[in-house]
Amino acid sequence: MKKQLFNKITGKLNLYGISFLFAFILVMLGQMTTSEAVIAPASYVIYKGGTTYYAQNGQTGVNDYSGTDAATVIQNVIDALINGGLIILKNATYVIATPVSLDSSISVQGESRAGTIIQAAASIGGTGTRGLFELDDFGVTTTPITNVYIGNMTFDLTTNTDAYIKAIGQRAYRPVQNLLIEKINMDLDTEHNGIVLENLGISSTIASYNITIKDIFTRNGSGTVNLYLNASAASSLYYNVKIENLYNLIDVNGVGDDRVAIIGNFPAGGGVAEVRGVSIRDVYVFVASTVTSGLIQGVKFDTGANCYLHDMLVDGVFFVNAPSGTIGQAVSSILGGNSFFQNATISNVFSKNGGGIKMFISRRDPNPFIIIEKFAMYNLQDTIAGIEVYDPQGPSGDETVIIRNGSLFNAATIAGNLPVGIMFTGGSLQGGSGIISIEGVFINSFSRGISNNLNESGSLYTSTWTNIFVENCNLANNGSNLSAVGNFQVRTTPAISLAGVTGITVGASPFTYTNNDNVPEAIYIDGGTVSDIKKNGTTIFTSTQKTIWLEPGESITVTYSQVPTMRKDQK
C-alpha cells in the first residue's frame, strides 16, 4: 500500500499536500493501535495488580517474584532464565527507574502494542546515556549477545528529565547477532533517543550481524534508529542489517538529529571499520506545520576515518517538512578521511518543503558505484541542491554515479547561484575514467539546472568532474540550465545549452579550431580578411561572414590576412 501511495505522489505533483498527509496519518494511527496476539508459550508472564508487579512462572503458575519496582521484577526474571526464554508483559504501565539488562536468548513481548507501556521514571539510575532496555550491562567482552527479541509495546520517555535517555540501547562492548526489534511505539521529547546500538564493531574477530528493526512509530526525539560501528578494535565489521517501516512525527520545536543513522567511528590500530549489506526501506518523516525550528534528517550515513560502506540500499524515504523551512536532508552522507561508499542505491525518495539528497561518496579510490533513482522533490527549502554529489579526493577518477528517473521542482526560480537542481562538488574524477550519467530527470525553477562548477557557498570554481552524460532530460524555467566545465555530452534534452554563444580566441594564421566540447556547435566567422576556410581538411569557403556546423571531433582551419572574429554556439 505504501508503494502505491508513493507512485501516486510521484506521478501527480498536484497531489503532494493533502493526499500524502492524510494517508500518512492513517498509517501512523494504525501503527499506534495495532495489537498482536501472544501465541508462544511464556517462560514468565509479568502483570500488575494495584501498585505491585508480579512475575508468574509459565510452568508452575507460581508468582516467583513481585515488588513495586518494575525494573527489579523484570530483571529478576531475566537473571533467572540462564538458558533464555520468553517473557510476556501484560497490558500495564511499567515505570522503569533503572535500566533493564537483556542477555542472549531473551525475548520480551508485550500483550498489545498500545497497552503494554514501558515508561521512563523522572530520573534513570546508572552511568552514561542509559536505555530503559539495554542489551546486557555495561562491560567489556567480545562474547556476542545473540538471539534477542523485543516487540509489541510502547516506550514513553516524555516524563523523564535526564539528558539523552534511550528507549532501547546497547552500552556493552559486545557484538550483537540475530536481533529483532519490531512493532514498537516510542513517544520521546526533544532530546531522548529511540533505538541506539552503540558498539556493534567492538571485536576484531567477531562480527555483528542479522539485525532487523521494523514497524516502528516515533513521536519527536533526537533519533529513531542509530547504529554505531564503534570500532575501537583494529578491524571491525557489522553486516546484514534491515531497517524497515519507520513512521516519524515531529510536532514540537527543537527536535534535532537523524531519524535513521548509520555511524562509523575511528578504528584503532590503523585498521578499518566495515559496514556491509544495510537495507533501509520505507522511512516516513512528517514535520507538523506548527514546527518552526529544528534540524531533522531522514536517513544519514556518517563515518569517521577508515570506514568502508558496502552494498547500501535506501528504498523509500518520504520526507514532508514544515513549510516554515526547518532544515534537513531526506538522505545524506558525511565521510571521514579514507572512507568510501561502494555499491549504494538510493531509490524512491519523496521530499516536500525539506531538503533533498546529499551524497559524500568517497575519500579514497575504491571505485564507488552509486545509483540515485525514482525521486520527486518539491519546493525544496534551505538547501544547496536537490541532489548534491560531493567527492573531494578520488585520485584516479573511477567513480560511477547514475542519477535517473525523477523530478526536482521549486516553487519559483531563485536568483543567484544556489540552489541547483543537480550539483557535483569537490572536483574529483581528476580527468580519469569515471562516468556520471543523468537520464530521464525533470528539473524546473532552480538558479541552475545542472552544475559541476560551483562550490557549496555558490562560488564558481574550475571543476575537474568529467565524462558527464545528460540524456532525455527536461530542464525548464531555470536561471541557467547547465553551468559546467569539462567533458559534457548532451543527448535528446530540451532547453539545454552548455554555454550559449561564447568567443573563440583566434591564433596565428592558418588557425585551426577543433570541437572538443562533445556537443554539436555552430561556428560563426565575422569580419577580417579571410581567404580560405577548411572543414576537416577540405576547403568549403573563401571569404568571411560564414557559419560552419561542427560535430564533436570535427575541425575548421581559417587562413586570413586580417584577423576575423570567431564564436561558437553550442547546441
Side-chain angles (χ1 to χ4, degrees):
M1 180 176 179
K2 294 187 290 294
K3 293 291 186 182
Q4 294 173 350
L5 172 61
F6 177 79
N7 290 336
K8 289 180 181 179
I9 292 171
T10 56
K12 297 181 179 180
L13 294 178
N14 63 328
L15 296 181
Y16 273 140
I18 296 175
S19 61
F20 180 85
L21 175 58
F22 180 69
F24 184 89
I25 292 174
L26 287 179
V27 170
M28 290 194 298
L29 289 175
Q31 293 294 325
M32 292 193 69
T33 58
T34 299
S35 296
E36 300 291 335
V38 177
I39 58 175
S43 302
Y44 275 90
V45 175
I46 300 177
Y47 64 96
K48 185 178 182 181
T51 59
T52 302
Y53 300 95
Y54 299 92
Q56 184 182 70
N57 190 303
Q59 292 183 337
T60 67
V62 174
N63 290 331
D64 289 346
Y65 307 98
S66 64
T68 58
D69 188 305
T72 300
V73 173
I74 298 171
Q75 193 66 61
N76 286 339
V77 169
I78 293 171
D79 294 343
L81 295 173
I82 58 175
N83 294 316
L86 171 63
I87 302 168
I88 299 298
L89 301 180
K90 299 290 284 185
N91 286 346
T93 297
Y94 298 82
V95 179
I96 304 299
T98 56
V100 174
S101 297
L102 281 66
D103 209 337
S104 294
S105 301
I106 293 293
S107 297
V108 182
Q109 181 172 328
E111 181 182 5
S112 73
R113 183 167 181 164
T116 301
I117 301 172
I118 310 301
Q119 186 179 76
S123 182
I124 305 296
T127 60
T129 57
R130 286 84 68 202
L132 302 189
F133 284 3
E134 291 186 345
L135 301 183
D136 208 353
D137 53 359
F138 190 77
V140 179
T141 176
T142 56
T143 303
I145 181 168
T146 63
N147 303 315
V148 174
Y149 173 85
I150 304 170
N152 209 39
M153 63 189 68
T154 293
F155 287 84
D156 180 4
L157 278 67
T158 59
T159 57
N160 180 267
T161 58
D162 297 328
Y164 304 113
I165 295 298
K166 296 166 286 193
I168 300 172
Q170 176 224 7
R171 292 188 298 143
Y173 287 76
R174 300 176 62 178
V176 176
Q177 299 171 355
N178 302 320
L179 169 67
L180 173 57
I181 301 174
E182 66 172 353
K183 302 166 187 170
I184 298 289
N185 299 333
M186 297 185 291
D187 196 358
L188 312 173
D189 63 8
T190 57
E191 288 188 341
H192 296 330
N193 297 96
I195 300 167
V196 181
L197 306 182
E198 296 185 71
N199 297 294
L200 294 176
I202 200 63
S203 172
S204 60
T205 58
I206 304 174
S208 294
Y209 57 79
N210 294 347
I211 297 169
T212 300
I213 301 170
K214 63 180 183 178
D215 297 331
I216 309 294
F217 170 77
T218 303
R219 179 173 172 264
N220 299 316
S222 185
T224 301
V225 176
N226 292 345
L227 304 184
Y228 288 77
L229 187 65
N230 198 349
S232 61
S235 182
S236 306
L237 169 67
Y238 74 78
Y239 65 91
N240 194 17
V241 175
K242 296 180 181 179
I243 302 171
E244 301 176 352
N245 301 329
L246 306 186
Y247 306 90
N248 304 268
L249 172 64
I250 311 299
D251 61 4
V252 298
N253 287 325
V255 169
D257 227 324
D258 318 307
R259 301 305 93 194
V260 179
I262 304 298
I263 301 171
N265 290 335
F266 295 84
V272 298
E274 294 189 60
V275 181
R276 295 180 178 173
V278 175
S279 171
I280 302 171
R281 295 180 183 272
D282 297 332
V283 177
Y284 296 80
V285 183
F286 174 71
V287 183
S289 60
T290 54
V291 175
T292 58
S293 65
L295 175 59
I296 302 156
Q297 309 283 351
V299 175
K300 182 178 181 180
F301 299 90
D302 189 353
T303 79
N306 300 322
C307 294
Y308 304 165
L309 305 177
H310 303 265
D311 303 323
M312 304 287 114
L313 171 64
V314 178
D315 183 13
V317 177
F318 306 83
F319 190 78
V320 180
N321 212 342
S324 55
T326 49
I327 301 172
Q329 299 288 334
V331 182
S332 66
S333 67
I334 300 176
L335 302 183
N338 204 35
S339 295
F340 66 82
F341 269 102
Q342 193 169 51
N343 298 333
T345 298
I346 314 297
S347 181
N348 291 313
V349 178
F350 169 75
S351 179
K352 178 186 177 184
N353 295 332
I357 299 171
K358 178 178 180 179
M359 297 303 295
F360 195 147
I361 63 173
S362 179
R363 277 190 177 272
R364 56 160 291 173
D365 181 31
N367 307 325
F369 186 90
I370 311 293
I371 296 176
I372 301 172
E373 64 178 357
K374 301 175 185 175
F375 50 86
M377 304 183 202
Y378 173 75
N379 196 23
L380 299 173
Q381 301 285 329
D382 297 312
T383 188
I384 294 169
I387 296 175
E388 179 185 0
V389 178
Y390 180 51
D391 188 348
Q393 55 186 53
S396 70
D398 296 328
E399 294 90 337
T400 298
V401 179
I402 299 172
I403 301 173
R404 63 191 180 194
N405 302 333
S407 62
L408 302 168
F409 183 80
N410 256 351
T413 303
I414 300 174
N417 288 331
L418 297 176
V420 177
I422 297 176
M423 178 174 178
F424 302 96
T425 58
S428 70
L429 296 187
Q430 310 275 329
S433 58
I435 295 176
I436 312 299
S437 174
I438 304 171
E439 182 176 356
V441 177
F442 171 79
I443 303 174
N444 192 300
S445 299
F446 288 84
S447 65
R448 295 164 187 254
I450 301 172
S451 172
N452 78 328
N453 65 340
L454 293 175
N455 60 29
E456 288 197 330
S457 66
S459 299
L460 292 170
Y461 74 111
T462 302
S463 172
T464 53
W465 285 91
T466 59
N467 298 331
I468 299 180
F469 298 86
V470 181
E471 186 165 6
N472 295 321
C473 294
N474 190 324
L475 284 77
N477 301 320
N478 302 296
S480 61
N481 286 316
L482 200 67
S483 170
V485 296
N487 180 13
F488 267 70
Q489 296 191 25
V490 181
R491 307 183 186 96
T492 321
T493 297
I496 278 282
S497 176
L498 290 185
V501 179
T502 58
I504 298 173
T505 301
V506 181
S509 178
F511 168 68
T512 298
Y513 171 80
T514 301
N515 178 2
N516 292 318
D517 294 321
N518 293 292
V519 292
E521 54 193 19
I523 306 301
Y524 306 132
I525 302 175
D526 301 305
T529 302
V530 174
S531 59
D532 187 71
I533 300 175
K534 289 184 171 66
K535 179 178 179 179
N536 301 327
T538 300
T539 297
I540 55 174
F541 299 112
T542 56
S543 62
T544 189
Q545 303 299 122
K546 303 299 181 186
T547 298
I548 301 95
W549 184 261
L550 295 183
E551 295 291 337
E554 292 187 315
S555 64
I556 59 171
T557 299
V558 180
T559 302
Y560 62 86
S561 57
Q562 291 185 347
V563 61
T565 297
M566 294 180 61
R567 296 172 294 165
K568 60 182 178 181
D569 187 357
Q570 297 173 343
K571 299 300 183 180

